[in-house]
Amino acid sequence: MSSMDLADPAGQQVPPADDDWLDSMRLAIRSTTELRRMLGLATTIAGGPDSTPAETSIDDENHGFPVFVPREFAARMRPGDETDPLLMQVMPTHAEGVEVAGFHADPVGDLQANVAPGVLHKYAARALVITTGACGVHCRYCFRRAFPYQESGSRSQAYEPSLAYLRERRDLEEVILSGGDPLTMTDAALDALISKIEGIEHIGRLRIHSRMPIVIPSRVNRSLIERLRASRLTVWMVVHSNHAAEIDGETAAALQRMVDAGIPVLNQSVLLRGVNDSVEDLESLSRALIDCRVIPYYLHQLDRVAGAAHFEVSPARGRELIEQLESRLPGFAVPRYVSEIAGEKSKTRL
Ligand SMILES: *Cc1c(COP(=O)(O)O)cnc(C)c1O
Ligand code: SF4
């Protein structure tokens, strides 16, 4: 369905049909060959069979983390440009296969924080529930690329041990649904899980961490909005966008639908070399977000996961970028630059 189909005569966006997003998941691009073809990129590496490919060039091996790119996300990339900032987040490169000292499978201590099946409880008053291993896009820099999820994603029926922990810990006031991506759960599965959380008296706030509204904006359907609006919990949404080019008209409309429904929306980004490590890129991202009434919350230092070293930006450079942003943007449009350090009581400011 095109955006023209969705526009009413007044040019207002109307929400997508409830199941459109499932088609987007089913039809997502799952190979480098398909992605190359769609973007008009060369399908063979120049230089012949004996040449050593440059580390940053495309690698048709997936390094244990399959390619998964929704077509509507790929459509926001510049055709023919191997350095496109959206493409670089999702296309495997030879650099992923290079071992770099200091980059590990569990860089943020998640395995130690795994207090109950599917629950990470590191910080006061809030705990994070891993709802599913599935995502709406596979980001090459993600620390979860090496996380030992039980295979094939959905835990569906198996939330009881996580819920038991949440019930028992009366010091918790907030539950964070994370993953993977919780909005890859069906509306019915999400409704069932939220209902269980609503049944825990001491929980007053629900936070959803999702990249789906960015990559597959049709996920923000009527059913989701209505369910969240009907909750007795205060619902906050935290989306994940790294570059202004990710926010096209459909995505902006999806963000606005949530804000219009009274759901505060925050954004977190990861600082990524070659993707958003310039003041211009970060500035235009913040502007695109605040134009949709989304607050830039965190700019994360890259977690040092094996295979992602080529994305790293030094903290000194990151701090310089934040200082430059402060001189260009309203205060609320400048994200907090943070790092996740195993054993700390909160994210640590850099
Ligand atoms: C990041 C994170 C949170 C949320 O932290 P905030 O600073 O409140 O956004 C909660 N639990 C875990 C395990 C996290 O990694
Ligand atoms: S958890 Fe988030 S960052 Fe990681 S692959 Fe999924 S969508 Fe991308």
Side-chain angles (χ1 to χ4, degrees), residues 18-288:
D18 275 354
D19 287 344
D20 282 0
W21 70 275
L22 288 164
D23 291 333
S24 296
M25 292 290 283
R26 196 167 43 76
L27 298 171
I29 297 166
R30 293 161 196 266
S31 76
T32 53
T33 313
E34 218 183 330
L35 194 48
R36 284 184 202 258
R37 198 179 300 131
M38 180 167 171
L39 294 170
L41 295 170
T43 50
T44 48
I45 292 158
D50 294 332
S51 71
T52 310
E55 279 185 14
T56 50
S57 67
I58 295 168
D59 188 349
D60 290 310
E61 288 300 312
N62 67 28
H63 300 278
F65 191 50
V67 168
F68 190 93
V69 187
R71 286 173 195 278
E72 53 269 71
F73 189 70
R76 297 167 224 166
M77 298 172 187
R78 290 186 298 259
D81 183 359
E82 285 200 21
T83 66
D84 177 88
L86 277 56
L87 180 68
M88 288 181 68
Q89 296 179 56
V90 298
M91 183 70 107
T93 57
H94 289 280
E96 290 180 34
V98 179
E99 264 187 55
V100 177
F103 286 74
H104 310 292
D106 181 27
V108 295
D110 271 351
L111 298 182
Q112 294 103 284
N114 210 174
V115 291
V119 181
L120 300 180
H121 186 188
K122 288 195 211 177
Y123 306 144
R126 56 212 193 275
L128 186 151
V129 174
I130 295 169
T131 53
T132 166
C135 285
V137 64
H138 286 182
C139 312
R140 309 310 302 178
Y141 53 84
C142 181
F143 75 97
R144 295 201 189 279
R145 62 178 293 156
F147 199 81
Y149 292 106
Q150 274 151 358
E151 215 17 72
S152 91
S154 186
R155 298 163 61 211
S156 52
Q157 305 312 311
Y159 293 115
E160 229 12 81
S162 307
L163 291 160
Y165 180 85
L166 302 178
R167 282 184 200 110
E168 181 187 313
R169 288 298 298 255
R170 304 192 61 88
D171 55 320
L172 290 174
E173 58 190 40
E174 173 173 342
V175 172
I176 302 169
L177 300 185
S178 184
D181 195 314
L183 293 187
T184 61
M185 294 170 74
T186 62
D187 288 325
L190 201 59
D191 170 45
L193 179 59
I194 293 173
S195 297
K196 291 273 174 67
I197 296 168
E198 285 166 338
I200 307 174
E201 220 175 299
H202 55 269
I203 304 296
R205 199 158 54 244
L206 179 70
R207 199 198 308 184
I208 299 177
H209 279 186
S210 176
R211 190 146 159 68
M212 286 289 277
I214 304 296
V215 295
I216 304 182
S218 58
R219 180 64 189 91
V220 185
N221 57 13
R222 274 203 187 92
S223 165
L224 176 68
I225 293 276
E226 278 162 21
R227 180 63 186 87
L228 299 181
R229 215 210 293 253
S231 183
R232 76 151 181 90
L233 302 165
T234 307
V235 179
W236 286 65
M237 182 71 60
V238 182
V239 298
H240 170 181
S241 174
N242 299 315
H243 196 279
E246 293 175 24
I247 303 172
D248 66 356
E250 299 287 332
T251 295
L255 296 170
Q256 303 266 21
R257 283 197 289 281
M258 294 191 282
V259 179
D260 285 345
I263 303 163
V265 183
L266 310 176
N267 181 68
Q268 43 189 347
S269 310
V270 181
L271 183 57
L272 298 165
R273 176 140 59 104
V275 173
N276 59 10
D277 60 334
S278 75
V279 68
E280 291 76 19
D281 284 330
L282 292 174
E283 183 184 2
S284 51
L285 172 61
S286 274
R287 285 191 200 284

